[in-house]
mmCIF file of all heavy atoms in Angstrom:
data_model
loop_
_atom_site.group_PDB
_atom_site.id
_atom_site.type_symbol
_atom_site.label_atom_id
_atom_site.label_comp_id
_atom_site.label_asym_id
_atom_site.label_seq_id
_atom_site.Cartn_x
_atom_site.Cartn_y
_atom_site.Cartn_z
ATOM 1 N N LEU J 341 -48.073 -3.494 64.549
ATOM 2 C CA LEU J 341 -47.264 -2.874 63.496
ATOM 3 C C LEU J 341 -45.973 -3.650 63.251
ATOM 4 O O LEU J 341 -45.527 -3.766 62.104
ATOM 5 C CB LEU J 341 -46.976 -1.417 63.847
ATOM 6 C CG LEU J 341 -48.204 -0.507 63.782
ATOM 7 C CD1 LEU J 341 -47.923 0.839 64.418
ATOM 8 C CD2 LEU J 341 -48.678 -0.345 62.345
ATOM 9 N N LYS J 342 -45.392 -4.207 64.303
ATOM 10 C CA LYS J 342 -44.209 -5.066 64.119
ATOM 11 C C LYS J 342 -44.577 -6.293 63.299
ATOM 12 O O LYS J 342 -43.794 -6.741 62.453
ATOM 13 C CB LYS J 342 -43.639 -5.482 65.475
ATOM 14 C CG LYS J 342 -42.892 -4.382 66.181
ATOM 15 C CD LYS J 342 -42.349 -4.857 67.511
ATOM 16 C CE LYS J 342 -41.604 -3.744 68.227
ATOM 17 N NZ LYS J 342 -41.110 -4.176 69.551
ATOM 18 N N CYS J 343 -45.753 -6.819 63.539
ATOM 19 C CA CYS J 343 -46.233 -7.968 62.765
ATOM 20 C C CYS J 343 -46.383 -7.591 61.291
ATOM 21 O O CYS J 343 -45.930 -8.328 60.408
ATOM 22 C CB CYS J 343 -47.562 -8.450 63.343
ATOM 23 S SG CYS J 343 -48.280 -9.841 62.483
ATOM 24 N N LEU J 344 -46.993 -6.436 61.029
ATOM 25 C CA LEU J 344 -47.146 -5.980 59.639
ATOM 26 C C LEU J 344 -45.800 -5.723 58.983
ATOM 27 O O LEU J 344 -45.625 -5.997 57.790
ATOM 28 C CB LEU J 344 -48.020 -4.722 59.596
ATOM 29 C CG LEU J 344 -49.491 -4.913 59.971
ATOM 30 C CD1 LEU J 344 -50.207 -3.575 60.012
ATOM 31 C CD2 LEU J 344 -50.171 -5.867 59.008
ATOM 32 N N ALA J 345 -44.832 -5.236 59.758
ATOM 33 C CA ALA J 345 -43.480 -5.022 59.224
ATOM 34 C C ALA J 345 -42.823 -6.359 58.911
ATOM 35 O O ALA J 345 -42.130 -6.490 57.897
ATOM 36 C CB ALA J 345 -42.645 -4.223 60.217
ATOM 37 N N SER J 346 -43.040 -7.361 59.757
ATOM 38 C CA SER J 346 -42.432 -8.671 59.518
ATOM 39 C C SER J 346 -43.011 -9.333 58.263
ATOM 40 O O SER J 346 -42.331 -10.096 57.597
ATOM 41 C CB SER J 346 -42.606 -9.589 60.731
ATOM 42 O OG SER J 346 -43.946 -10.009 60.858
ATOM 43 N N TYR J 347 -44.275 -9.033 57.941
ATOM 44 C CA TYR J 347 -44.893 -9.548 56.721
ATOM 45 C C TYR J 347 -44.524 -8.718 55.500
ATOM 46 O O TYR J 347 -44.891 -9.051 54.386
ATOM 47 C CB TYR J 347 -46.421 -9.596 56.846
ATOM 48 C CG TYR J 347 -46.930 -10.691 57.743
ATOM 49 C CD1 TYR J 347 -47.859 -10.411 58.735
ATOM 50 C CD2 TYR J 347 -46.507 -11.999 57.607
ATOM 51 C CE1 TYR J 347 -48.341 -11.403 59.568
ATOM 52 C CE2 TYR J 347 -46.973 -13.004 58.422
ATOM 53 C CZ TYR J 347 -47.892 -12.702 59.398
ATOM 54 O OH TYR J 347 -48.362 -13.688 60.211
ATOM 55 N N GLY J 348 -43.836 -7.598 55.723
ATOM 56 C CA GLY J 348 -43.432 -6.745 54.616
ATOM 57 C C GLY J 348 -44.523 -5.817 54.117
ATOM 58 O O GLY J 348 -44.421 -5.268 53.029
ATOM 59 N N LEU J 349 -45.588 -5.632 54.899
ATOM 60 C CA LEU J 349 -46.684 -4.765 54.483
ATOM 61 C C LEU J 349 -46.435 -3.298 54.825
ATOM 62 O O LEU J 349 -47.040 -2.411 54.228
ATOM 63 C CB LEU J 349 -48.002 -5.242 55.102
ATOM 64 C CG LEU J 349 -48.470 -6.601 54.581
ATOM 65 C CD1 LEU J 349 -49.589 -7.159 55.436
ATOM 66 C CD2 LEU J 349 -48.911 -6.492 53.128
ATOM 67 N N ILE J 350 -45.549 -3.050 55.815
ATOM 68 C CA ILE J 350 -45.104 -1.681 56.092
ATOM 69 C C ILE J 350 -43.584 -1.681 56.119
ATOM 70 O O ILE J 350 -42.953 -2.710 56.370
ATOM 71 C CB ILE J 350 -45.688 -1.112 57.415
ATOM 72 C CG1 ILE J 350 -45.201 -1.889 58.624
ATOM 73 C CG2 ILE J 350 -47.191 -1.030 57.361
ATOM 74 C CD1 ILE J 350 -45.563 -1.240 59.957
ATOM 75 N N ASP J 351 -43.015 -0.529 55.868
ATOM 76 C CA ASP J 351 -41.566 -0.382 55.805
ATOM 77 C C ASP J 351 -40.983 -0.416 57.219
ATOM 78 O O ASP J 351 -41.311 0.430 58.053
ATOM 79 C CB ASP J 351 -41.226 0.933 55.117
ATOM 80 C CG ASP J 351 -39.750 1.061 54.841
ATOM 81 O OD1 ASP J 351 -38.999 1.265 55.814
ATOM 82 O OD2 ASP J 351 -39.354 0.964 53.671
ATOM 83 N N SER J 352 -40.118 -1.390 57.503
ATOM 84 C CA SER J 352 -39.560 -1.541 58.848
ATOM 85 C C SER J 352 -38.553 -0.451 59.197
ATOM 86 O O SER J 352 -38.430 -0.070 60.361
ATOM 87 C CB SER J 352 -38.937 -2.928 59.029
ATOM 88 O OG SER J 352 -37.952 -3.145 58.064
ATOM 89 N N ASN J 353 -37.831 0.078 58.206
ATOM 90 C CA ASN J 353 -36.883 1.168 58.482
ATOM 91 C C ASN J 353 -37.607 2.438 58.905
ATOM 92 O O ASN J 353 -37.190 3.111 59.852
ATOM 93 C CB ASN J 353 -36.006 1.460 57.259
ATOM 94 C CG ASN J 353 -35.057 0.316 56.955
ATOM 95 O OD1 ASN J 353 -34.611 -0.382 57.853
ATOM 96 N ND2 ASN J 353 -34.779 0.117 55.683
ATOM 97 N N ASP J 354 -38.680 2.768 58.218
ATOM 98 C CA ASP J 354 -39.466 3.941 58.598
ATOM 99 C C ASP J 354 -40.170 3.721 59.931
ATOM 100 O O ASP J 354 -40.308 4.646 60.729
ATOM 101 C CB ASP J 354 -40.499 4.283 57.521
ATOM 102 C CG ASP J 354 -39.879 4.919 56.303
ATOM 103 O OD1 ASP J 354 -38.774 5.487 56.424
ATOM 104 O OD2 ASP J 354 -40.485 4.851 55.218
ATOM 105 N N PHE J 355 -40.609 2.499 60.170
ATOM 106 C CA PHE J 355 -41.287 2.189 61.433
ATOM 107 C C PHE J 355 -40.364 2.452 62.624
ATOM 108 O O PHE J 355 -40.808 2.943 63.665
ATOM 109 C CB PHE J 355 -41.783 0.743 61.438
ATOM 110 C CG PHE J 355 -42.414 0.316 62.724
ATOM 111 C CD1 PHE J 355 -43.491 1.006 63.259
ATOM 112 C CD2 PHE J 355 -41.937 -0.788 63.410
ATOM 113 C CE1 PHE J 355 -44.076 0.613 64.457
ATOM 114 C CE2 PHE J 355 -42.510 -1.185 64.599
ATOM 115 C CZ PHE J 355 -43.587 -0.485 65.122
ATOM 116 N N SER J 356 -39.078 2.171 62.463
ATOM 117 C CA SER J 356 -38.131 2.435 63.552
ATOM 118 C C SER J 356 -37.994 3.936 63.826
ATOM 119 O O SER J 356 -37.541 4.334 64.900
ATOM 120 C CB SER J 356 -36.765 1.826 63.238
ATOM 121 O OG SER J 356 -36.190 2.469 62.124
ATOM 122 N N LYS J 357 -38.436 4.780 62.868
ATOM 123 C CA LYS J 357 -38.417 6.244 63.035
ATOM 124 C C LYS J 357 -39.810 6.782 63.365
ATOM 125 O O LYS J 357 -40.077 7.972 63.212
ATOM 126 C CB LYS J 357 -37.909 6.905 61.760
ATOM 127 C CG LYS J 357 -36.515 6.485 61.364
ATOM 128 C CD LYS J 357 -36.178 7.024 59.991
ATOM 129 C CE LYS J 357 -34.911 6.362 59.484
ATOM 130 N NZ LYS J 357 -34.770 6.493 58.036
ATOM 131 N N ASN J 358 -40.725 5.884 63.759
ATOM 132 C CA ASN J 358 -42.113 6.237 64.104
ATOM 133 C C ASN J 358 -42.912 6.775 62.922
ATOM 134 O O ASN J 358 -43.827 7.572 63.087
ATOM 135 C CB ASN J 358 -42.174 7.217 65.277
ATOM 136 C CG ASN J 358 -41.711 6.583 66.568
ATOM 137 O OD1 ASN J 358 -41.789 5.367 66.735
ATOM 138 N ND2 ASN J 358 -41.217 7.388 67.476
ATOM 139 N N ILE J 359 -42.536 6.334 61.724
ATOM 140 C CA ILE J 359 -43.273 6.659 60.500
ATOM 141 C C ILE J 359 -43.802 5.349 59.921
ATOM 142 O O ILE J 359 -43.056 4.377 59.793
ATOM 143 C CB ILE J 359 -42.359 7.351 59.454
ATOM 144 C CG1 ILE J 359 -41.791 8.654 59.996
ATOM 145 C CG2 ILE J 359 -43.086 7.567 58.134
ATOM 146 C CD1 ILE J 359 -42.799 9.761 60.185
ATOM 147 N N ILE J 360 -45.081 5.345 59.581
ATOM 148 C CA ILE J 360 -45.693 4.143 59.019
ATOM 149 C C ILE J 360 -45.923 4.385 57.537
ATOM 150 O O ILE J 360 -46.667 5.284 57.153
ATOM 151 C CB ILE J 360 -47.034 3.814 59.730
ATOM 152 C CG1 ILE J 360 -46.886 3.840 61.251
ATOM 153 C CG2 ILE J 360 -47.583 2.486 59.226
ATOM 154 C CD1 ILE J 360 -45.817 2.945 61.812
ATOM 155 N N ARG J 361 -45.250 3.576 56.721
ATOM 156 C CA ARG J 361 -45.345 3.706 55.269
ATOM 157 C C ARG J 361 -45.675 2.329 54.689
ATOM 158 O O ARG J 361 -45.008 1.353 54.956
ATOM 159 C CB ARG J 361 -44.027 4.212 54.698
ATOM 160 C CG ARG J 361 -44.045 4.473 53.216
ATOM 161 C CD ARG J 361 -42.678 4.880 52.679
ATOM 162 N NE ARG J 361 -42.006 5.876 53.487
ATOM 163 C CZ ARG J 361 -42.100 7.193 53.287
ATOM 164 N NH1 ARG J 361 -42.843 7.649 52.311
ATOM 165 N NH2 ARG J 361 -41.447 8.041 54.061
ATOM 166 N N ARG J 362 -46.707 2.295 53.888
ATOM 167 C CA ARG J 362 -47.125 1.068 53.224
ATOM 168 C C ARG J 362 -46.113 0.696 52.152
ATOM 169 O O ARG J 362 -45.605 1.567 51.447
ATOM 170 C CB ARG J 362 -48.462 1.365 52.594
ATOM 171 C CG ARG J 362 -49.493 0.411 52.372
ATOM 172 C CD ARG J 362 -49.881 -0.711 53.148
ATOM 173 N NE ARG J 362 -50.612 -1.569 52.216
ATOM 174 C CZ ARG J 362 -50.063 -2.586 51.603
ATOM 175 N NH1 ARG J 362 -48.838 -2.939 51.831
ATOM 176 N NH2 ARG J 362 -50.756 -3.285 50.758
ATOM 177 N N THR J 363 -45.819 -0.584 52.025
ATOM 178 C CA THR J 363 -44.923 -1.064 50.972
ATOM 179 C C THR J 363 -45.754 -1.440 49.745
ATOM 180 O O THR J 363 -46.978 -1.334 49.753
ATOM 181 C CB THR J 363 -44.122 -2.294 51.451
ATOM 182 O OG1 THR J 363 -45.048 -3.349 51.759
ATOM 183 C CG2 THR J 363 -43.276 -1.964 52.663
ATOM 184 N N GLU J 364 -45.071 -1.914 48.724
ATOM 185 C CA GLU J 364 -45.745 -2.311 47.491
ATOM 186 C C GLU J 364 -46.361 -3.711 47.581
ATOM 187 O O GLU J 364 -47.081 -4.129 46.677
ATOM 188 C CB GLU J 364 -44.752 -2.275 46.319
ATOM 189 C CG GLU J 364 -44.198 -0.893 46.031
ATOM 190 C CD GLU J 364 -45.272 0.092 45.627
ATOM 191 O OE1 GLU J 364 -46.180 -0.284 44.852
ATOM 192 O OE2 GLU J 364 -45.213 1.242 46.095
ATOM 193 N N LYS J 365 -46.075 -4.424 48.650
ATOM 194 C CA LYS J 365 -46.594 -5.787 48.790
ATOM 195 C C LYS J 365 -48.121 -5.771 48.830
ATOM 196 O O LYS J 365 -48.732 -4.975 49.532
ATOM 197 C CB LYS J 365 -46.042 -6.443 50.058
ATOM 198 C CG LYS J 365 -46.410 -7.895 50.168
ATOM 199 C CD LYS J 365 -45.671 -8.580 51.277
ATOM 200 C CE LYS J 365 -46.033 -10.056 51.303
ATOM 201 N NZ LYS J 365 -45.336 -10.753 52.342
ATOM 202 N N GLU J 366 -48.709 -6.668 48.072
ATOM 203 C CA GLU J 366 -50.165 -6.742 47.954
ATOM 204 C C GLU J 366 -50.788 -7.331 49.217
ATOM 205 O O GLU J 366 -50.270 -8.300 49.781
ATOM 206 C CB GLU J 366 -50.561 -7.616 46.762
ATOM 207 C CG GLU J 366 -50.237 -7.014 45.424
ATOM 208 C CD GLU J 366 -51.116 -5.827 45.093
ATOM 209 O OE1 GLU J 366 -52.319 -5.861 45.426
ATOM 210 O OE2 GLU J 366 -50.592 -4.863 44.519
ATOM 211 N N VAL J 367 -51.909 -6.754 49.623
ATOM 212 C CA VAL J 367 -52.703 -7.306 50.715
ATOM 213 C C VAL J 367 -53.542 -8.431 50.115
ATOM 214 O O VAL J 367 -54.124 -8.258 49.033
ATOM 215 C CB VAL J 367 -53.618 -6.222 51.334
ATOM 216 C CG1 VAL J 367 -54.502 -6.806 52.414
ATOM 217 C CG2 VAL J 367 -52.783 -5.076 51.875
ATOM 218 N N PRO J 368 -53.604 -9.587 50.765
ATOM 219 C CA PRO J 368 -54.410 -10.693 50.219
ATOM 220 C C PRO J 368 -55.865 -10.281 49.956
ATOM 221 O O PRO J 368 -56.456 -9.509 50.719
ATOM 222 C CB PRO J 368 -54.331 -11.761 51.317
ATOM 223 C CG PRO J 368 -53.073 -11.444 52.053
ATOM 224 C CD PRO J 368 -52.916 -9.962 51.992
ATOM 225 N N LYS J 369 -56.419 -10.802 48.873
ATOM 226 C CA LYS J 369 -57.767 -10.439 48.450
ATOM 227 C C LYS J 369 -58.803 -10.758 49.523
ATOM 228 O O LYS J 369 -59.761 -10.010 49.705
ATOM 229 C CB LYS J 369 -58.117 -11.150 47.149
ATOM 230 C CG LYS J 369 -59.470 -10.725 46.602
ATOM 231 C CD LYS J 369 -59.779 -11.363 45.291
ATOM 232 C CE LYS J 369 -61.112 -11.019 44.710
ATOM 233 N NZ LYS J 369 -62.105 -10.431 45.516
ATOM 234 N N GLU J 370 -58.623 -11.833 50.261
ATOM 235 C CA GLU J 370 -59.585 -12.207 51.316
ATOM 236 C C GLU J 370 -59.676 -11.108 52.380
ATOM 237 O O GLU J 370 -60.755 -10.804 52.881
ATOM 238 C CB GLU J 370 -59.192 -13.528 51.987
ATOM 239 C CG GLU J 370 -59.153 -14.732 51.071
ATOM 240 C CD GLU J 370 -57.847 -14.840 50.303
ATOM 241 O OE1 GLU J 370 -56.790 -14.432 50.817
ATOM 242 O OE2 GLU J 370 -57.892 -15.324 49.164
ATOM 243 N N ILE J 371 -58.540 -10.514 52.695
ATOM 244 C CA ILE J 371 -58.523 -9.443 53.696
ATOM 245 C C ILE J 371 -59.140 -8.179 53.121
ATOM 246 O O ILE J 371 -59.918 -7.494 53.792
ATOM 247 C CB ILE J 371 -57.086 -9.199 54.205
ATOM 248 C CG1 ILE J 371 -56.592 -10.445 54.952
ATOM 249 C CG2 ILE J 371 -57.024 -7.976 55.105
ATOM 250 C CD1 ILE J 371 -55.158 -10.384 55.396
ATOM 251 N N LEU J 372 -58.826 -7.869 51.868
ATOM 252 C CA LEU J 372 -59.425 -6.694 51.219
ATOM 253 C C LEU J 372 -60.948 -6.815 51.162
ATOM 254 O O LEU J 372 -61.667 -5.829 51.332
ATOM 255 C CB LEU J 372 -58.855 -6.492 49.818
ATOM 256 C CG LEU J 372 -57.405 -6.016 49.738
ATOM 257 C CD1 LEU J 372 -56.926 -6.007 48.291
ATOM 258 C CD2 LEU J 372 -57.242 -4.650 50.372
ATOM 259 N N ASP J 373 -61.435 -8.031 50.939
ATOM 260 C CA ASP J 373 -62.882 -8.250 50.934
ATOM 261 C C ASP J 373 -63.479 -7.976 52.307
ATOM 262 O O ASP J 373 -64.576 -7.427 52.423
ATOM 263 C CB ASP J 373 -63.211 -9.675 50.497
ATOM 264 C CG ASP J 373 -62.907 -9.918 49.031
ATOM 265 O OD1 ASP J 373 -62.772 -8.927 48.264
ATOM 266 O OD2 ASP J 373 -62.791 -11.099 48.638
ATOM 267 N N LYS J 374 -62.769 -8.334 53.352
ATOM 268 C CA LYS J 374 -63.232 -8.068 54.724
ATOM 269 C C LYS J 374 -63.268 -6.571 55.012
ATOM 270 O O LYS J 374 -64.110 -6.102 55.769
ATOM 271 C CB LYS J 374 -62.336 -8.754 55.756
ATOM 272 C CG LYS J 374 -62.382 -10.253 55.725
ATOM 273 C CD LYS J 374 -63.575 -10.744 56.475
ATOM 274 C CE LYS J 374 -63.494 -12.262 56.577
ATOM 275 N NZ LYS J 374 -64.752 -12.851 56.956
ATOM 276 N N PHE J 375 -62.344 -5.814 54.407
ATOM 277 C CA PHE J 375 -62.320 -4.365 54.597
ATOM 278 C C PHE J 375 -63.603 -3.720 54.076
ATOM 279 O O PHE J 375 -64.030 -2.683 54.567
ATOM 280 C CB PHE J 375 -61.130 -3.726 53.886
ATOM 281 C CG PHE J 375 -59.798 -4.012 54.514
ATOM 282 C CD1 PHE J 375 -58.634 -3.708 53.834
ATOM 283 C CD2 PHE J 375 -59.678 -4.578 55.772
ATOM 284 C CE1 PHE J 375 -57.389 -3.950 54.399
ATOM 285 C CE2 PHE J 375 -58.445 -4.823 56.345
ATOM 286 C CZ PHE J 375 -57.300 -4.514 55.651
ATOM 287 N N GLU J 376 -64.195 -4.331 53.043
ATOM 288 C CA GLU J 376 -65.408 -3.781 52.435
ATOM 289 C C GLU J 376 -66.622 -3.927 53.343
ATOM 290 O O GLU J 376 -67.600 -3.202 53.198
ATOM 291 C CB GLU J 376 -65.683 -4.456 51.090
ATOM 292 C CG GLU J 376 -64.582 -4.269 50.069
ATOM 293 C CD GLU J 376 -64.353 -2.806 49.731
ATOM 294 O OE1 GLU J 376 -65.341 -2.056 49.611
ATOM 295 O OE2 GLU J 376 -63.185 -2.414 49.598
ATOM 296 N N GLN J 377 -66.561 -4.858 54.282
ATOM 297 C CA GLN J 377 -67.680 -5.098 55.184
ATOM 298 C C GLN J 377 -67.570 -4.152 56.379
ATOM 299 O O GLN J 377 -66.972 -4.475 57.388
ATOM 300 C CB GLN J 377 -67.675 -6.550 55.668
ATOM 301 C CG GLN J 377 -67.712 -7.564 54.563
ATOM 302 C CD GLN J 377 -67.405 -8.966 55.055
ATOM 303 O OE1 GLN J 377 -67.294 -9.214 56.236
ATOM 304 N NE2 GLN J 377 -67.279 -9.881 54.117
ATOM 305 N N THR J 378 -68.159 -2.967 56.243
ATOM 306 C CA THR J 378 -68.060 -1.975 57.303
ATOM 307 C C THR J 378 -69.433 -1.607 57.839
ATOM 308 O O THR J 378 -70.422 -1.605 57.098
ATOM 309 C CB THR J 378 -67.367 -0.687 56.816
ATOM 310 O OG1 THR J 378 -68.124 -0.136 55.754
ATOM 311 C CG2 THR J 378 -65.958 -0.942 56.360
ATOM 312 N N THR J 379 -69.466 -1.281 59.111
ATOM 313 C CA THR J 379 -70.685 -0.762 59.720
ATOM 314 C C THR J 379 -70.757 0.738 59.442
ATOM 315 O O THR J 379 -69.784 1.337 58.983
ATOM 316 C CB THR J 379 -70.682 -1.004 61.240
ATOM 317 O OG1 THR J 379 -69.606 -0.259 61.823
ATOM 318 C CG2 THR J 379 -70.535 -2.480 61.573
ATOM 319 N N ASP J 380 -71.889 1.342 59.754
ATOM 320 C CA ASP J 380 -72.020 2.792 59.574
ATOM 321 C C ASP J 380 -71.030 3.539 60.459
ATOM 322 O O ASP J 380 -70.452 4.543 60.037
ATOM 323 C CB ASP J 380 -73.453 3.243 59.894
ATOM 324 C CG ASP J 380 -74.449 2.791 58.839
ATOM 325 O OD1 ASP J 380 -74.020 2.482 57.713
ATOM 326 O OD2 ASP J 380 -75.657 2.750 59.150
ATOM 327 N N GLU J 381 -70.836 3.068 61.685
ATOM 328 C CA GLU J 381 -69.889 3.717 62.597
ATOM 329 C C GLU J 381 -68.477 3.674 62.034
ATOM 330 O O GLU J 381 -67.754 4.668 62.073
ATOM 331 C CB GLU J 381 -69.904 3.037 63.968
ATOM 332 C CG GLU J 381 -71.099 3.382 64.815
ATOM 333 C CD GLU J 381 -71.024 2.733 66.186
ATOM 334 O OE1 GLU J 381 -70.435 1.622 66.304
ATOM 335 O OE2 GLU J 381 -71.542 3.329 67.127
ATOM 336 N N GLU J 382 -68.074 2.513 61.518
ATOM 337 C CA GLU J 382 -66.734 2.380 60.945
ATOM 338 C C GLU J 382 -66.574 3.279 59.722
ATOM 339 O O GLU J 382 -65.529 3.904 59.535
ATOM 340 C CB GLU J 382 -66.454 0.926 60.570
ATOM 341 C CG GLU J 382 -66.315 0.017 61.761
ATOM 342 C CD GLU J 382 -66.261 -1.454 61.386
ATOM 343 O OE1 GLU J 382 -66.798 -1.833 60.319
ATOM 344 O OE2 GLU J 382 -65.689 -2.224 62.167
ATOM 345 N N THR J 383 -67.600 3.380 58.901
ATOM 346 C CA THR J 383 -67.565 4.251 57.733
ATOM 347 C C THR J 383 -67.378 5.704 58.162
ATOM 348 O O THR J 383 -66.583 6.441 57.565
ATOM 349 C CB THR J 383 -68.855 4.096 56.899
ATOM 350 O OG1 THR J 383 -68.990 2.725 56.521
ATOM 351 C CG2 THR J 383 -68.829 4.976 55.662
ATOM 352 N N ASN J 384 -68.079 6.115 59.210
ATOM 353 C CA ASN J 384 -67.939 7.486 59.709
ATOM 354 C C ASN J 384 -66.537 7.736 60.260
ATOM 355 O O ASN J 384 -65.978 8.809 60.061
ATOM 356 C CB ASN J 384 -68.991 7.771 60.774
ATOM 357 C CG ASN J 384 -70.384 7.877 60.191
ATOM 358 O OD1 ASN J 384 -70.555 8.157 59.016
ATOM 359 N ND2 ASN J 384 -71.385 7.630 61.019
#
């Protein structure tokens, strides 16, 4: 989560309060494509 905060993908101020909030920064398309590749267990 610290890594995601350093990339600006989650809000670092909220993270310091134990709240995880997604920022407006776009996730790279290559990673989003990987998210689509799920097993049945992961889907469940």
Side-chain angles (χ1 to χ4, degrees):
L341 291 168
K342 285 180 180 178
C343 179
L344 292 175
S346 72
Y347 287 131
L349 293 167
I350 64 171
D351 188 288
S352 57
N353 292 328
D354 286 337
F355 176 57
S356 66
K357 300 172 192 161
N358 292 334
I359 300 291
I360 311 305
R361 184 184 314 268
R362 209 35 201 98
T363 62
E364 297 298 319
K365 187 170 183 179
E366 291 290 322
V367 177
K369 185 177 178 344
E370 299 83 32
I371 295 175
L372 289 174
D373 291 342
K374 294 278 187 196
F375 289 168
E376 299 299 320
Q377 303 168 7
T378 60
T379 64
D380 289 340
E381 284 183 329
E382 291 171 334
T383 302
N384 289 337

